[in-house]
Amino acid sequence: MEDLRRCFIYWMERGVREANYDKLTLIFDMNGAGMSNVDLEYMKVVINTIKTYYPESLRWILVYEMPWVMNGKSSL
């Protein structure tokens, strides 16, 4: 997991520099993904890394085709 975290930090640093320190948009393409191939532990690492080290660098997180089992239920 530590190697994956380092890889993610590398790409965040590269993206921030290439965007001239402007805000970034992170896109997750979940097309065809199911619960068996989604690594929730890694998602926690990604979110905690962004919250800790890049709180002002992220504009949006877009998730494309999120599996229905991961959708939150509305209380309305």
Side-chain angles (χ1 to χ4, degrees):
M1 192 57 66
E2 184 62 25
D3 288 339
L4 289 173
R5 187 180 71 80
R6 286 183 193 167
C7 182
F8 178 73
I9 289 172
Y10 167 79
W11 285 107
M12 281 297 294
E13 287 290 328
R14 183 174 172 177
V16 167
R17 281 194 306 268
E18 287 182 6
N20 293 323
Y21 299 93
D22 196 10
K23 294 187 181 278
L24 300 175
T25 299
L26 189 61
I27 301 172
F28 290 101
D29 183 358
M30 307 286 286
N31 189 21
M35 287 303 292
S36 62
N37 55 1
V38 173
D39 190 352
L40 295 179
E41 184 67 28
Y42 182 63
M43 289 294 117
K44 288 179 189 177
V45 168
V46 166
I47 291 168
N48 287 331
T49 301
I50 290 170
K51 283 180 12 180
T52 304
Y53 299 109
Y54 304 99
E56 299 296 322
S57 298
L58 197 64
R59 182 177 315 242
W60 298 98
I61 296 178
L62 303 175
V63 182
Y64 175 73
E65 292 290 322
M66 184 168 59
W68 66 271
V69 294
M70 295 178 71
N71 287 335
K73 293 189 178 202
S74 174
S75 61
L76 296 176

